[in-house]
Amino acid sequence: MSEKEIVVGIDALMRIARGAERMAGVAAVTLGPRGRPVILERAHGTPMISRDGYEAACSVEFEDPVENQGAQAMLQAGARSRDLTGDGSTTAMLLASATLHECVKAIVTGANPVQVKQGLDRATGAVVRHLRDAAQPCRQLPALERLAWAVSYGDQGVASLSAQAILECPDPGAITIEAAERVQDTLLRPTGLRWNAGPLSSRFASDAMRGMVVLNNPYIVVSQDPLDSTEDMALMLERAAPLTQPLAFIAPAISAPVLAMLLSSRASGLVNCCAIGVPETAQSEWLQDIATLSGATLVQRLTGQGLGDLRIDQWGMAERLESGRGTTQAVGMLPPEEDMVRSHIQVMRANLEATRDATQRELIGARIARLSRQACTLALADMGDEHGHMRVHLAQRTLQVLRAAMREGVVPGAGVGLVRARSSLNELQHASPDESAGAEALRVALVQPLLRIARNAGEAPHVVMEAVEQGEGAFGFDAERGDFGDLAARNVIDSVDVVVNAVRVATRTAGVLLGTLCAVVDAPQHEFVRTGEVHD
């Protein structure tokens, strides 16, 4: 075990606060539309230039190990804010650093850390309530595009398509993001139902050149169980033989004898048939949705519904089915207005409302989008470089912020929403001066994002601050234009969910660090120099 250094007393807290302030300063350089990019040295390859304050801060490590602990706490605050809402990491770091700095000033002069934290917690609750009450709905395309533009660091392609996609497909999981070798970004609206699985055997291909199975007006049989019974398959083929339409089996797997039977029937011209798979993830849900949209009765042995028991009127239908090379698309299935589909969607929406787990909500939202034909794909131009993969991640974060804005509403951006929220602290009654010091620390911290945005825009921060305080509501400083105006009318807005979580994460991080009066870090390694002298 390496030797440790123990730093005790107020010195430890001050060094932690100093490290936090330095780390937040690195990230704050990028804040606002006039924020500057940061060039990051990399051990291998060329340097990277980033507009992401959190990404820039991740590359920083300080020589003082105690300061570094404070810096790492700021990184945790940024990461937590990003994980919760997709954005606000730089704001959370700046708020946490400023709050900690002001609280430490109070503690150095003799304030009780526990009471300072109590005042800080009460102030946080008041600010959060004010922000929630001040939130305005946001469902207009221009406003969403402007918000997406800010979140995506000015990437117009990601911003524009994300805003369009979220309006057309608001359910979670309804939007798929992919990077493809194309010239420009495109929003794809697939027709029919598409899933990532192809034929269970390449020998079903009717178009050998493309390796595709193409069936016009096929009957569709959907099975929850593998196709492994030759007796049941013989009954199905016997019923399909007098019909002129092809027959498609959709199932998770197929046995070798049944596959041979289908290929033989196809080759002899008895029945034009094929077997198609489904995605391995959420397999059961996919089969249920395909059965619903095709109008088929789902084959499930557990319910006593075997494959050989199906009547022809229990088979589904589609106008066209194309399958090959890992993808299948069915066109001309039942519309969302059909009673069977509509009732299934209602059940899914009830499940969505009752579910709080994010993963399950994504899964249920994707099913609703499939059934209601409200699904789309954000196809981003990707030339195969690192930038293309970064844009996919950026689009995911942008959609997360937009979805929260549509759900919870927005507040004036550019730090104005936080400045106005300070008025909620005027009504608080505190049990002691130390509690009041905690609330005042948050009051000072709430203006820091506005001051930093003004500084990054080349303006005098306190002159901008004075002008904003003299105004009301959404009046604030538009750093992009360099003037003052109604920020809501100009669509300079922030998702209230992002702002609220940034405040909560920041004060929670600062509150945890307030009581720190001891730091244990690796001791500096001393180098011993060999002199060559020998002593008896």
Side-chain angles (χ1 to χ4, degrees):
M1 181 180 294
S2 61
E3 186 179 355
K4 300 294 182 179
E5 177 185 1
I6 302 176
V7 183
V8 182
I10 200 67
D11 179 54
L13 182 58
M14 293 180 65
R15 286 165 67 180
I16 288 172
R18 187 161 57 245
E21 187 175 359
R22 291 178 65 190
M23 179 63 84
V26 173
V29 171
T30 66
L31 194 63
R34 298 291 183 183
R36 302 296 192 268
V38 178
I39 185 166
L40 307 174
E41 180 186 17
R42 294 193 286 188
H44 304 285
T46 59
M48 182 176 67
I49 298 176
S50 175
R51 280 286 312 275
D52 187 339
Y54 172 74
E55 186 176 48
C58 286
S59 303
V60 176
E61 186 172 352
F62 300 127
E63 183 177 0
D64 184 338
V66 181
E67 286 189 11
N68 207 49
Q69 298 307 306
Q72 292 302 313
M74 294 303 102
L75 278 183
Q76 290 179 5
R80 180 64 175 161
S81 179
R82 177 167 294 191
D83 290 343
L84 288 172
T85 59
D87 195 28
S89 53
T90 301
T91 300
M93 294 168 69
L94 188 57
L95 289 174
S97 167
T99 303
L100 180 61
H101 178 79
E102 294 300 317
C103 288
V104 169
K105 285 169 59 177
I107 293 172
V108 168
T109 58
N112 186 323
V114 175
Q115 294 184 9
V116 170
K117 184 179 183 303
Q118 289 173 349
L120 179 61
D121 291 341
R122 292 187 61 203
T124 301
V127 168
V128 168
R129 288 191 295 272
H130 182 279
L131 289 168
R132 293 286 189 197
D133 293 342
Q136 298 295 317
C138 179
R139 293 184 176 273
Q140 300 299 318
L141 181 61
L144 290 171
E145 282 185 340
R146 181 62 178 77
L147 178 58
W149 179 85
V151 177
S152 61
Y153 307 114
D155 190 320
Q156 194 60 48
V158 170
S160 177
L161 294 185
S162 296
Q164 293 179 45
I166 205 71
L167 279 176
E168 294 181 17
C169 311
D171 291 313
I175 303 171
T176 304
I177 305 171
E178 63 179 29
E181 292 188 6
R182 58 180 72 243
V183 177
Q184 62 182 7
D185 304 324
T186 309
L187 185 62
L188 303 178
R189 302 169 180 84
T191 58
L193 181 65
R194 181 178 180 271
W195 65 92
N196 294 327
L200 293 176
S201 172
S202 59
R203 296 171 64 186
F204 285 119
S206 56
D207 186 338
M209 184 68 68
R210 296 189 300 157
M212 297 283 293
V213 178
V214 181
L215 302 177
N216 292 313
N217 298 312
Y219 282 107
I220 296 176
V221 174
V222 186
S223 174
Q224 186 92 47
D225 309 302
L227 303 176
D228 54 8
S229 172
T230 54
E231 294 180 1
D232 287 345
M233 187 56 68
L235 290 173
M236 295 295 290
L237 294 177
E238 182 180 345
R239 291 168 189 155
L243 306 175
T244 59
Q245 294 158 267
L247 177 60
F249 294 92
I250 299 176
I254 188 171
S255 67
V258 174
L259 175 61
M261 183 181 292
L262 291 179
L263 291 172
S264 174
S265 176
R266 181 182 177 87
S268 65
L270 179 65
V271 178
N272 182 12
C273 57
C274 73
I276 297 171
V278 288
E280 293 183 1
T281 56
Q283 201 169 76
S284 177
E285 289 79 3
W286 270 106
L287 289 165
Q288 291 175 12
D289 294 345
I290 294 170
T292 299
L293 289 174
S294 64
T297 298
L298 183 63
V299 175
Q300 292 177 295
R301 289 175 188 163
L302 290 177
T303 61
Q305 181 69 66
L307 183 65
D309 300 328
L310 281 186
R311 304 184 307 272
I312 294 179
D313 61 354
Q314 293 177 302
W315 300 357
M317 292 194 69
E319 290 182 5
R320 185 177 175 86
L321 189 74
E322 295 186 4
S323 180
R325 297 183 180 178
T327 61
T328 299
Q329 184 162 357
V331 179
M333 305 177 87
L334 294 178
E337 295 78 19
E338 284 286 338
D339 291 341
M340 180 191 300
V341 181
R342 188 171 65 250
S343 62
H344 202 58
I345 292 174
Q346 290 174 350
V347 172
M348 291 294 100
R349 289 205 179 278
N351 292 339
L352 184 65
E353 291 297 324
T355 303
R356 291 292 172 263
D357 182 77
T359 303
Q360 286 299 315
R361 287 181 62 83
E362 286 282 328
L363 178 60
I364 296 171
R367 296 185 66 187
I368 294 173
R370 288 199 294 266
L371 295 171
S372 59
R373 306 297 199 277
Q374 289 184 328
C376 61
T377 299
L378 203 61
L380 302 178
D382 179 15
M383 296 297 105
D385 57 359
E386 182 181 3
H387 181 62
H389 298 292
M390 291 172 59
R391 294 187 76 215
V392 171
H393 179 64
L394 193 61
Q396 292 171 342
R397 287 178 44 212
T398 302
L399 289 172
Q400 185 179 356
V401 173
L402 294 182
R403 189 171 285 115
M406 291 181 65
R407 183 180 65 249
E408 305 289 345
V410 295
V411 292
V416 172
L418 292 171
V419 171
R420 302 288 182 237
R422 295 188 308 160
S423 62
S424 63
L425 303 179
N426 299 334
E427 304 170 359
L428 291 180
Q429 299 294 326
H430 301 288
S432 68
D434 292 350
E435 282 193 15
S436 179
E440 287 304 309
L442 182 57
R443 184 192 297 274
V444 174
L446 290 175
V447 305
Q448 297 307 311
L450 172 61
L451 295 177
R452 190 69 209 208
I453 289 172
R455 184 180 295 114
N456 289 346
E459 303 291 337
H462 291 284
V463 172
V464 171
M465 180 65 197
E466 184 179 353
V468 171
E469 286 184 318
Q470 290 176 357
E472 296 179 350
F475 178 83
F477 177 63
D478 186 345
E480 185 185 3
R481 297 187 184 182
D483 61 2
F484 294 88
D486 187 337
L487 300 186
R490 298 184 182 187
N491 293 323
V492 180
I493 52 179
D494 286 328
S495 166
V496 69
D497 200 41
V498 171
V499 179
V500 163
N501 276 286
V503 172
R504 282 176 170 166
V505 169
T507 55
R508 189 179 299 122
T509 302
V512 169
L513 294 174
L514 283 183
T516 304
L517 287 178
C518 179
V520 180
V521 296
D522 289 336
Q525 299 296 318
H526 301 287
E527 297 184 2
F528 297 94
V529 180
R530 185 180 296 273
T531 63
E533 298 181 4
V534 178
H535 301 278
D536 294 334

